[in-house]
Protein backbone atom coordinates (compact mmCIF):
# COMPACT_ATOMS: atom_id res chain seq x y z
CA UNK A 1 0.00 0.00 0.00
CA UNK A 2 1.37 3.38 -1.02
CA UNK A 3 0.59 6.26 1.30
CA UNK A 4 0.63 9.88 0.17
CA UNK A 5 0.80 12.69 2.71
CA UNK A 6 -2.11 14.71 1.33
CA UNK A 7 -1.97 17.16 4.23
CA UNK A 8 1.66 17.96 3.38
CA UNK A 9 0.66 18.58 -0.23
CA UNK A 10 -2.20 20.86 0.80
CA UNK A 11 0.17 22.81 3.10
CA UNK A 12 2.42 23.55 0.10
CA UNK A 13 -0.47 24.75 -2.06
CA UNK A 14 -1.47 28.37 -2.25
CA UNK A 15 -5.12 29.33 -1.92
CA UNK A 16 -5.52 29.51 -5.71
CA UNK A 17 -2.63 27.15 -6.52
CA UNK A 18 -2.78 24.35 -9.07
CA UNK A 19 -1.36 20.84 -8.74
CA UNK A 20 0.87 19.97 -11.70
CA UNK A 21 2.17 16.45 -12.29
CA UNK A 22 5.36 16.01 -14.32
CA UNK A 23 4.14 13.12 -16.47
CA UNK A 24 6.76 11.22 -18.47
CA UNK A 25 4.67 8.14 -19.22
CA UNK A 26 6.93 5.87 -17.15
CA UNK A 27 5.73 3.68 -14.32
CA UNK A 28 6.48 6.16 -11.51
CA UNK A 29 4.56 9.10 -12.93
CA UNK A 30 1.67 6.91 -14.16
CA UNK A 31 1.25 5.43 -10.66
CA UNK A 32 1.38 8.91 -9.12
CA UNK A 33 -1.24 10.12 -11.61
CA UNK A 34 -3.49 7.17 -10.68
CA UNK A 35 -3.09 7.95 -6.96
CA UNK A 36 -3.98 11.59 -7.59
CA UNK A 37 -6.98 10.69 -9.71
CA UNK A 38 -8.50 7.99 -7.55
CA UNK A 39 -7.22 8.53 -3.99
CA UNK A 40 -6.59 12.25 -3.59
CA UNK A 41 -9.12 14.47 -1.78
CA UNK A 42 -11.39 16.40 -4.12
CA UNK A 43 -9.67 19.65 -3.05
CA UNK A 44 -6.50 18.32 -4.71
CA UNK A 45 -7.87 16.36 -7.65
CA UNK A 46 -9.98 19.31 -8.80
CA UNK A 47 -6.80 21.40 -9.20
CA UNK A 48 -4.83 18.68 -11.00
CA UNK A 49 -3.21 18.97 -14.44
CA UNK A 50 -0.49 16.88 -16.13
CA UNK A 51 2.51 18.35 -17.94
CA UNK A 52 4.61 16.33 -20.40
CA UNK A 53 7.97 17.52 -21.76
CA UNK A 54 8.79 16.12 -25.21
CA UNK A 55 12.60 16.02 -25.49
CA UNK A 56 12.69 14.47 -28.95
CA UNK A 57 15.71 12.34 -27.99
CA UNK A 58 14.12 8.92 -28.53
CA UNK A 59 12.55 7.45 -31.63
CA UNK A 60 9.67 6.60 -29.27
CA UNK A 61 9.19 10.16 -27.99
CA UNK A 62 6.00 10.68 -29.98
CA UNK A 63 4.64 7.39 -28.64
CA UNK A 64 5.26 8.59 -25.07
CA UNK A 65 3.39 11.78 -25.84
CA UNK A 66 0.41 9.92 -27.29
CA UNK A 67 0.36 7.52 -24.33
CA UNK A 68 0.35 10.35 -21.77
CA UNK A 69 -2.37 12.15 -23.70
CA UNK A 70 -4.52 9.02 -23.91
CA UNK A 71 -4.21 8.20 -20.20
CA UNK A 72 -5.13 11.75 -19.20
CA UNK A 73 -8.10 11.71 -21.54
CA UNK A 74 -9.30 8.38 -20.10
CA UNK A 75 -8.92 9.61 -16.51
CA UNK A 76 -10.31 13.08 -17.24
CA UNK A 77 -7.16 14.99 -16.28
CA UNK A 78 -6.22 18.22 -18.12
CA UNK A 79 -3.09 17.59 -20.21
CA UNK A 80 -0.38 19.94 -21.46
CA UNK A 81 2.72 19.25 -23.53
CA UNK A 82 5.81 21.27 -24.41
CA UNK A 83 8.50 20.33 -26.94
CA UNK A 84 12.13 21.27 -26.29
CA UNK A 85 15.28 21.14 -28.42
CA UNK A 86 18.43 19.45 -27.11
CA UNK A 87 21.92 20.11 -28.45
CA UNK A 88 23.30 16.59 -28.74
CA UNK A 89 26.91 17.80 -28.92
CA UNK A 90 26.84 18.72 -25.21
CA UNK A 91 25.82 16.78 -22.07
CA UNK A 92 22.41 15.39 -23.01
CA UNK A 93 21.34 14.51 -19.46
CA UNK A 94 22.21 17.94 -18.05
CA UNK A 95 20.57 19.75 -20.95
CA UNK A 96 17.40 17.68 -20.75
CA UNK A 97 17.08 18.44 -17.04
CA UNK A 98 17.67 22.16 -17.59
CA UNK A 99 15.10 22.28 -20.39
CA UNK A 100 12.52 20.44 -18.28
CA UNK A 101 12.88 22.86 -15.41
CA UNK A 102 12.64 25.81 -17.77
CA UNK A 103 9.31 24.40 -18.94
CA UNK A 104 8.16 23.79 -15.38
CA UNK A 105 9.07 27.34 -14.35
CA UNK A 106 7.15 28.77 -17.30
CA UNK A 107 3.95 26.95 -16.27
CA UNK A 108 4.08 27.31 -12.49
CA UNK A 109 2.46 30.33 -10.91
CA UNK A 110 2.69 31.53 -7.31
CA UNK A 111 1.15 28.97 -4.97
CA UNK A 112 1.32 26.09 -7.47
CA UNK A 113 2.88 22.71 -6.66
CA UNK A 114 4.71 20.49 -9.13
CA UNK A 115 4.65 16.78 -8.27
CA UNK A 116 7.43 14.47 -9.41
CA UNK A 117 7.58 10.67 -9.20
CA UNK A 118 11.05 10.25 -7.64
CA UNK A 119 11.13 7.26 -5.29
CA UNK A 120 13.46 5.66 -2.74
CA UNK A 121 15.55 3.90 -5.41
CA UNK A 122 16.12 7.23 -7.14
CA UNK A 123 17.30 8.61 -3.81
CA UNK A 124 19.73 5.71 -3.37
CA UNK A 125 21.09 6.17 -6.91
CA UNK A 126 21.55 9.90 -6.31
CA UNK A 127 23.46 9.41 -3.05
CA UNK A 128 25.78 6.80 -4.58
CA UNK A 129 26.28 8.93 -7.69
CA UNK A 130 27.25 11.97 -5.61
CA UNK A 131 29.49 9.99 -3.27
CA UNK A 132 31.30 8.60 -6.29
CA UNK A 133 31.91 12.16 -7.51
CA UNK A 134 33.32 13.20 -4.14
CA UNK A 135 30.51 15.32 -2.68
CA UNK A 136 30.52 17.02 0.71
CA UNK A 137 27.85 17.26 3.40
CA UNK A 138 25.50 19.22 1.15
CA UNK A 139 25.63 16.73 -1.69
CA UNK A 140 25.07 13.72 0.53
CA UNK A 141 21.67 15.12 1.52
CA UNK A 142 20.34 13.71 -1.74
CA UNK A 143 17.02 14.68 -3.30
CA UNK A 144 14.85 16.96 -1.13
CA UNK A 145 11.26 15.88 -0.64
CA UNK A 146 10.09 19.46 -1.18
CA UNK A 147 11.75 22.64 -2.34
CA UNK A 148 10.84 25.99 -3.82
CA UNK A 149 10.85 26.73 -7.54
CA UNK A 150 10.36 30.46 -7.87
CA UNK A 151 7.11 31.27 -6.09
CA UNK A 152 5.87 27.69 -6.48
CA UNK A 153 6.92 24.42 -4.81
CA UNK A 154 8.16 21.03 -5.95
CA UNK A 155 6.96 18.01 -3.96
CA UNK A 156 8.03 14.37 -4.35
CA UNK A 157 5.48 12.32 -2.37
CA UNK A 158 6.93 8.90 -3.35
CA UNK A 159 10.47 9.59 -2.15
CA UNK A 160 10.15 7.13 0.77
CA UNK A 161 8.46 4.48 -1.38
CA UNK A 162 10.55 1.76 -3.04
CA UNK A 163 10.38 0.98 -6.75
CA UNK A 164 9.18 -2.53 -5.86
CA UNK A 165 6.17 -1.08 -4.02
CA UNK A 166 5.36 1.20 -6.94
CA UNK A 167 5.60 -1.70 -9.40
CA UNK A 168 3.35 -3.87 -7.21
CA UNK A 169 0.76 -1.06 -7.15
CA UNK A 170 0.92 -0.68 -10.94
CA UNK A 171 0.42 -4.40 -11.50
CA UNK A 172 -2.37 -4.64 -8.94
CA UNK A 173 -4.29 -1.85 -10.71
CA UNK A 174 -3.34 -3.16 -14.18
CA UNK A 175 -1.79 0.15 -15.23
CA UNK A 176 -0.02 0.60 -18.54
CA UNK A 177 3.23 2.50 -18.80
CA UNK A 178 6.16 2.86 -21.17
CA UNK A 179 9.81 2.03 -20.51
CA UNK A 180 12.52 4.43 -21.61
CA UNK A 181 14.91 2.22 -23.59
CA UNK A 182 17.86 4.36 -22.47
CA UNK A 183 17.28 3.19 -18.87
CA UNK A 184 18.93 -0.13 -19.77
CA UNK A 185 22.12 1.47 -21.09
CA UNK A 186 24.72 0.97 -18.35
CA UNK A 187 27.10 3.38 -20.11
CA UNK A 188 25.06 6.02 -18.27
CA UNK A 189 26.44 6.09 -14.76
CA UNK A 190 23.07 6.20 -13.01
CA UNK A 191 21.94 3.14 -14.96
CA UNK A 192 25.13 1.33 -13.99
CA UNK A 193 24.45 2.08 -10.33
CA UNK A 194 20.82 1.00 -10.69
CA UNK A 195 21.41 -2.32 -12.43
CA UNK A 196 24.86 -3.41 -11.27
CA UNK A 197 25.10 -1.96 -7.77
CA UNK A 198 21.67 -1.43 -6.21
CA UNK A 199 19.88 -4.39 -7.85
CA UNK A 200 22.38 -7.00 -6.54
CA UNK A 201 22.41 -5.23 -3.18
CA UNK A 202 18.62 -5.56 -2.95
CA UNK A 203 18.88 -9.32 -3.42
CA UNK A 204 20.78 -9.43 -0.15
CA UNK A 205 18.97 -6.57 1.62
CA UNK A 206 15.49 -6.17 0.15
CA UNK A 207 14.73 -2.81 1.78
CA UNK A 208 18.12 -1.19 1.16
CA UNK A 209 16.65 1.59 -1.02
CA UNK A 210 14.16 2.57 1.68
CA UNK A 211 16.86 2.41 4.35
CA UNK A 212 19.11 4.73 2.31
CA UNK A 213 16.16 7.08 1.77
CA UNK A 214 15.53 7.16 5.52
CA UNK A 215 19.21 7.95 6.10
CA UNK A 216 18.98 10.78 3.57
CA UNK A 217 15.97 12.18 5.41
CA UNK A 218 17.92 12.17 8.68
CA UNK A 219 20.96 13.75 7.03
CA UNK A 220 18.73 16.50 5.60
CA UNK A 221 17.30 17.27 9.05
CA UNK A 222 20.75 17.41 10.63
CA UNK A 223 22.12 19.45 7.73
CA UNK A 224 19.55 22.16 8.32
CA UNK A 225 21.05 22.67 11.77
CA UNK A 226 24.60 22.45 10.44
CA UNK A 227 23.78 24.91 7.67
CA UNK A 228 22.55 27.48 10.17
CA UNK A 229 25.70 27.12 12.27
CA UNK A 230 27.94 27.38 9.19
CA UNK A 231 26.14 30.53 8.06
CA UNK A 232 26.68 32.14 11.46
CA UNK A 233 30.38 31.22 11.51
CA UNK A 234 30.92 32.25 7.88
CA UNK A 235 29.85 35.81 8.68
CA UNK A 236 33.15 36.36 10.52
CA UNK A 237 35.07 35.69 7.30
CA UNK A 238 33.05 38.05 5.10
CA UNK A 239 34.47 41.42 4.03
CA UNK A 240 32.33 44.56 4.28
CA UNK A 241 31.89 44.42 0.49
CA UNK A 242 30.58 40.85 0.57
CA UNK A 243 33.81 39.08 -0.43
CA UNK A 244 35.50 36.20 1.38
CA UNK A 245 38.52 37.14 3.52
CA UNK A 246 41.07 34.58 2.37
CA UNK A 247 43.88 35.48 4.76
CA UNK A 248 41.72 34.75 7.81
CA UNK A 249 40.85 31.16 6.85
CA UNK A 250 42.53 28.31 8.75
CA UNK A 251 44.71 26.46 6.26
CA UNK A 252 43.09 23.06 6.83
CA UNK A 253 39.59 24.55 6.39
CA UNK A 254 40.09 26.64 3.25
CA UNK A 255 38.15 24.32 0.98
CA UNK A 256 35.23 24.08 3.38
CA UNK A 257 34.80 27.84 3.81
CA UNK A 258 35.34 28.52 0.11
CA UNK A 259 32.54 26.07 -0.71
CA UNK A 260 30.32 27.54 2.02
CA UNK A 261 30.84 31.06 0.64
CA UNK A 262 30.07 30.02 -2.93
CA UNK A 263 27.06 28.00 -1.84
CA UNK A 264 25.60 31.21 -0.41
CA UNK A 265 26.00 32.63 -3.92
CA UNK A 266 24.08 29.70 -5.42
CA UNK A 267 27.24 27.92 -6.67
CA UNK A 268 27.94 24.27 -5.81
CA UNK A 269 31.33 22.64 -6.30
CA UNK A 270 32.54 19.09 -6.85
CA UNK A 271 35.51 17.95 -4.78
CA UNK A 272 37.77 18.36 -7.82
CA UNK A 273 36.56 21.92 -8.42
CA UNK A 274 37.02 22.82 -4.75
CA UNK A 275 40.59 21.50 -4.74
CA UNK A 276 41.43 23.37 -7.95
CA UNK A 277 40.00 26.67 -6.67
CA UNK A 278 41.86 26.42 -3.36
CA UNK A 279 45.09 25.89 -5.29
CA UNK A 280 44.27 28.82 -7.59
CA UNK A 281 43.27 31.43 -5.02
CA UNK A 282 45.82 30.59 -2.34
CA UNK A 283 48.68 30.67 -4.83
CA UNK A 284 51.42 33.32 -5.23
CA UNK A 285 50.19 36.60 -3.78
CA UNK A 286 51.69 38.75 -6.54
CA UNK A 287 49.18 37.38 -9.03
CA UNK A 288 45.50 38.16 -9.57
CA UNK A 289 43.93 34.81 -10.49
CA UNK A 290 40.50 34.73 -12.06
CA UNK A 291 38.10 31.83 -12.58
CA UNK A 292 35.35 32.12 -15.19
CA UNK A 293 32.23 30.01 -15.40
CA UNK A 294 28.82 30.37 -16.96
CA UNK A 295 27.20 33.48 -15.54
CA UNK A 296 29.87 34.49 -13.01
CA UNK A 297 33.56 35.08 -12.30
CA UNK A 298 35.68 34.57 -9.19
CA UNK A 299 38.45 37.13 -8.63
CA UNK A 300 40.98 37.68 -5.85
CA UNK A 301 41.77 41.28 -4.94
CA UNK A 302 43.82 42.28 -1.90
CA UNK A 303 43.35 38.90 -0.22
CA UNK A 304 39.58 38.97 -0.70
CA UNK A 305 37.68 36.65 -3.03
CA UNK A 306 34.79 38.22 -4.94
CA UNK A 307 32.03 36.58 -6.92
CA UNK A 308 31.35 38.86 -9.89
CA UNK A 309 28.74 38.85 -12.62
CA UNK A 310 29.73 38.47 -16.24
CA UNK A 311 30.10 41.97 -17.66
CA UNK A 312 28.66 43.11 -20.99
CA UNK A 313 30.92 44.83 -23.52
CA UNK A 314 31.08 48.61 -23.09
CA UNK A 315 28.92 50.37 -25.66
CA UNK A 316 29.51 53.90 -26.87
CA UNK A 317 26.68 56.00 -25.46
CA UNK A 318 25.75 59.67 -25.36
CA UNK A 319 25.15 61.39 -22.02
CA UNK A 320 22.70 64.23 -22.65
CA UNK A 321 23.22 67.41 -20.64
CA UNK A 322 21.37 67.25 -17.32
CA UNK A 323 20.02 63.70 -17.91
CA UNK A 324 21.16 60.60 -16.01
CA UNK A 325 22.50 57.74 -18.16
CA UNK A 326 21.75 54.36 -16.55
CA UNK A 327 24.17 51.53 -17.23
CA UNK A 328 24.48 47.95 -15.94
CA UNK A 329 26.66 48.83 -12.94
CA UNK A 330 26.43 52.62 -12.58
CA UNK A 331 24.74 55.86 -13.60
CA UNK A 332 26.31 59.06 -14.96
CA UNK A 333 25.20 62.69 -15.03
CA UNK A 334 26.90 65.65 -16.69
CA UNK A 335 25.94 69.29 -17.10
CA UNK A 336 26.91 69.15 -20.78
CA UNK A 337 26.75 66.56 -23.51
CA UNK A 338 29.55 63.97 -23.43
CA UNK A 339 30.09 60.49 -24.88
CA UNK A 340 30.94 57.34 -22.90
CA UNK A 341 33.47 55.14 -24.66
CA UNK A 342 35.50 52.04 -23.85
CA UNK A 343 38.87 52.25 -22.12
CA UNK A 344 41.45 53.94 -24.35
CA UNK A 345 44.83 52.42 -25.15
CA UNK A 346 48.25 54.07 -24.76
CA UNK A 347 46.80 57.17 -23.11
CA UNK A 348 48.39 59.61 -20.71
CA UNK A 349 46.36 61.66 -18.27
CA UNK A 350 47.19 65.25 -17.45
CA UNK A 351 46.98 65.76 -13.70
CA UNK A 352 46.03 68.88 -11.76
CA UNK A 353 49.70 69.51 -10.91
CA UNK A 354 50.56 69.71 -14.60
CA UNK A 355 52.30 66.34 -14.73
CA UNK A 356 51.26 63.44 -16.98
CA UNK A 357 50.78 59.80 -16.06
CA UNK A 358 50.02 56.73 -18.11
CA UNK A 359 46.42 55.57 -17.64
CA UNK A 360 47.47 52.06 -16.58
CA UNK A 361 49.73 53.41 -13.83
CA UNK A 362 47.09 55.92 -12.74
CA UNK A 363 44.46 53.16 -12.37
CA UNK A 364 46.87 51.14 -10.27
CA UNK A 365 47.68 54.18 -8.14
CA UNK A 366 43.98 54.83 -7.58
CA UNK A 367 43.61 51.16 -6.53
CA UNK A 368 40.77 50.69 -9.01
CA UNK A 369 39.87 46.98 -8.90
CA UNK A 370 40.83 45.13 -12.08
CA UNK A 371 37.23 44.24 -12.98
CA UNK A 372 36.19 47.91 -12.93
CA UNK A 373 38.98 49.21 -15.17
CA UNK A 374 37.14 48.34 -18.39
CA UNK A 375 33.74 49.37 -16.96
CA UNK A 376 34.68 52.89 -15.82
CA UNK A 377 32.86 55.69 -17.67
CA UNK A 378 35.54 57.17 -19.93
CA UNK A 379 33.93 60.46 -20.98
CA UNK A 380 34.78 62.29 -24.19
CA UNK A 381 33.96 65.80 -25.39
CA UNK A 382 34.74 66.74 -28.99
CA UNK A 383 36.78 63.57 -29.36
CA UNK A 384 39.04 64.18 -26.36
CA UNK A 385 39.06 62.25 -23.05
CA UNK A 386 37.90 64.79 -20.46
CA UNK A 387 36.87 62.70 -17.43
CA UNK A 388 36.84 59.21 -15.92
CA UNK A 389 33.72 59.13 -13.79
CA UNK A 390 34.39 61.48 -10.88
CA UNK A 391 37.88 60.03 -10.33
CA UNK A 392 39.75 62.23 -12.81
CA UNK A 393 38.94 65.30 -14.86
CA UNK A 394 41.05 67.17 -17.38
CA UNK A 395 42.26 70.41 -15.75
CA UNK A 396 41.10 72.55 -18.70
CA UNK A 397 37.61 71.04 -19.01
CA UNK A 398 34.91 72.92 -17.03
CA UNK A 399 32.20 70.26 -16.94
CA UNK A 400 30.54 68.87 -13.81
CA UNK A 401 30.21 65.10 -13.38
CA UNK A 402 28.20 62.94 -11.03
CA UNK A 403 28.90 59.24 -10.98
CA UNK A 404 27.06 56.69 -8.84
CA UNK A 405 27.88 52.97 -8.71
CA UNK A 406 25.23 50.38 -7.83
CA UNK A 407 25.84 47.18 -5.87
CA UNK A 408 25.90 44.77 -8.82
CA UNK A 409 29.67 45.09 -9.33
CA UNK A 410 31.62 45.43 -6.04
CA UNK A 411 34.03 48.26 -5.41
CA UNK A 412 36.15 47.21 -2.44
CA UNK A 413 36.23 49.64 0.45
CA UNK A 414 39.24 50.47 2.56
CA UNK A 415 38.24 48.01 5.31
CA UNK A 416 41.35 46.41 6.75
CA UNK A 417 41.79 42.81 5.72
CA UNK A 418 42.34 40.60 8.73
Amino acid sequence: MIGIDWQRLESLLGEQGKVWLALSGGMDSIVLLHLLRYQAPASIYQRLAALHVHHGLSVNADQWLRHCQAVCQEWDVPFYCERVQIDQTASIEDQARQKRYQVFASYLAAGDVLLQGHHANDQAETLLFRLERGCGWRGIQGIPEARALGLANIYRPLLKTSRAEIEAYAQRHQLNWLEDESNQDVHFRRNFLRHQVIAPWQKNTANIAKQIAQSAERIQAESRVLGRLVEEALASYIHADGGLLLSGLPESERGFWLSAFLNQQGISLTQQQQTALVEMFFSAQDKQPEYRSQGYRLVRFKEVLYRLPQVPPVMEQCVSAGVWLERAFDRIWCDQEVVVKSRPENTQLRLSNGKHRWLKKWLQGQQVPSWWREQLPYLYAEGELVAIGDLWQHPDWPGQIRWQRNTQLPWPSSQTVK
Side-chain angles (χ1 to χ4, degrees):
M1 186 68 180
I2 298 177
I4 301 291
D5 190 345
W6 302 117
Q7 289 185 337
R8 177 76 190 283
L9 174 53
E10 287 181 322
S11 72
L12 295 170
L13 268 172
E15 186 175 348
Q16 303 298 322
K18 292 185 66 172
V19 178
W20 295 91
L21 171 65
L23 184 65
S24 67
M27 180 181 67
D28 314 328
S29 61
I30 290 292
V31 164
L32 186 50
L33 179 63
H34 189 270
L35 287 163
L36 288 161
R37 176 61 182 87
Y38 295 104
Q39 293 189 20
S43 59
I44 291 175
Y45 163 67
Q46 290 169 359
R47 306 198 216 181
L48 176 64
L51 177 57
H52 176 78
V53 179
H54 186 297
H55 298 94
L57 294 173
S58 169
V59 294
N60 298 315
D62 290 337
Q63 181 185 354
W64 299 342
L65 168 58
R66 291 192 295 269
H67 176 70
C68 292
Q69 197 168 20
V71 171
C72 287
Q73 185 174 2
E74 179 183 353
W75 293 350
D76 194 26
V77 175
F79 176 77
Y80 299 84
C81 173
E82 287 291 332
R83 297 175 182 265
V84 297
Q85 298 291 324
I86 305 294
D87 177 8
Q88 300 197 29
T89 62
S91 171
I92 293 176
E93 288 180 289
D94 289 344
Q95 275 195 85
R97 183 181 184 279
Q98 291 173 6
K99 295 287 186 178
R100 279 198 303 276
Y101 277 89
Q102 287 173 6
V103 171
F104 297 155
S106 70
Y107 272 78
L108 295 173
D112 287 358
V113 174
L114 173 72
L115 301 180
Q116 294 180 310
H118 296 86
H119 47 68
N121 291 63
D122 293 321
Q123 184 71 286
E125 290 170 19
T126 297
L127 286 177
L128 292 176
F129 182 74
R130 293 182 180 177
L131 284 170
E132 187 178 47
R133 295 178 66 189
C135 69
W137 64 277
R138 290 187 179 85
I140 203 175
Q141 295 178 52
I143 306 170
E145 185 177 57
R147 71 172 180 87
L149 181 62
L151 297 177
N153 285 299
I154 294 177
Y155 180 45
R156 302 174 176 107
L158 300 179
L159 202 54
K160 301 171 190 173
T161 305
S162 70
R163 190 183 192 282
E165 291 172 313
I166 293 173
E167 186 171 5
Y169 180 98
Q171 292 175 347
R172 184 165 62 253
H173 292 276
Q174 299 181 328
L175 303 181
N176 295 314
W177 66 89
L178 299 177
E179 292 287 353
D180 184 344
E181 67 278 4
S182 69
N183 286 340
Q184 302 305 314
D185 186 354
V186 294
H187 289 97
F188 291 109
R189 200 61 187 170
R190 282 184 177 273
N191 291 343
F192 172 82
L193 294 170
R194 179 181 308 149
H195 297 297
Q196 299 192 18
V197 177
I198 296 177
W201 198 355
Q202 284 181 308
K203 292 180 181 179
N204 181 268
T205 309
N207 288 328
I208 188 60
K210 294 187 71 172
Q211 291 172 8
I212 292 175
Q214 289 169 359
S215 294
E217 185 179 22
R218 179 176 177 179
I219 291 170
Q220 290 170 11
E222 293 174 350
S223 294
R224 284 191 287 273
V225 178
L226 179 59
R228 187 177 69 249
L229 297 176
V230 168
E231 185 174 353
E232 293 172 358
L234 179 62
S236 64
Y237 297 124
I238 300 299
H239 189 270
D241 304 300
L244 178 66
L245 292 162
L246 299 179
S247 60
L249 300 178
E251 185 173 353
S252 62
E253 300 175 8
R254 288 171 174 173
F256 179 87
W257 293 112
L258 178 62
S259 292
F261 169 71
L262 294 178
N263 187 262
Q264 275 194 345
Q265 316 290 320
I267 301 168
S268 59
L269 301 176
T270 64
Q271 182 62 46
Q272 292 80 1
Q273 288 172 325
Q274 175 182 300
T275 301
L277 289 178
V278 168
E279 183 176 346
M280 175 185 291
F281 290 110
F282 290 90
S283 61
Q285 302 306 304
D286 59 343
K287 298 180 179 179
Q288 291 189 345
E290 179 174 333
Y291 172 80
R292 291 177 178 265
S293 187
Q294 186 175 4
Y296 69 93
R297 296 178 295 155
L298 301 177
V299 177
R300 185 182 72 194
F301 183 75
K302 292 186 175 181
E303 291 305 299
V304 179
L305 180 70
Y306 293 95
R307 187 261 197 197
L308 307 175
Q310 295 286 20
V311 296
V314 176
M315 306 294 293
E316 184 172 311
Q317 295 175 281
C318 178
V319 181
S320 300
V323 179
W324 284 98
L325 172 66
E326 303 283 346
R327 303 198 305 169
F329 307 119
D330 60 11
R331 61 199 300 246
I332 310 147
W333 181 95
C334 185
D335 64 346
Q336 52 190 278
E337 185 173 303
V338 290
V339 177
V340 181
K341 295 185 180 182
S342 58
R343 176 180 171 179
E345 299 292 336
N346 301 318
T347 296
Q348 286 190 327
L349 304 181
R350 181 179 163 191
L351 307 181
S352 57
N353 60 8
K355 295 182 179 181
H356 290 78
R357 195 169 192 191
W358 288 105
L359 174 59
K360 180 179 180 180
K361 292 293 186 181
W362 179 84
L363 290 169
Q364 293 172 348
Q366 294 292 311
Q367 299 187 354
V368 175
S370 57
W371 57 88
W372 260 106
R373 294 176 188 178
E374 301 298 326
Q375 297 297 316
L376 290 174
Y378 296 93
L379 304 177
Y380 286 75
E382 299 180 355
E384 182 180 1
L385 179 64
V386 294
I388 304 176
D390 58 8
L391 303 177
W392 170 83
Q393 186 169 323
H394 194 288
D396 296 335
W397 186 67
Q400 294 184 12
I401 297 291
R402 297 178 194 166
W403 179 46
Q404 297 175 356
R405 301 182 298 271
N406 60 35
T407 59
Q408 299 302 308
L409 193 62
W411 185 290
S413 68
S414 58
Q415 173 181 319
T416 301
V417 176
K418 299 176 183 177

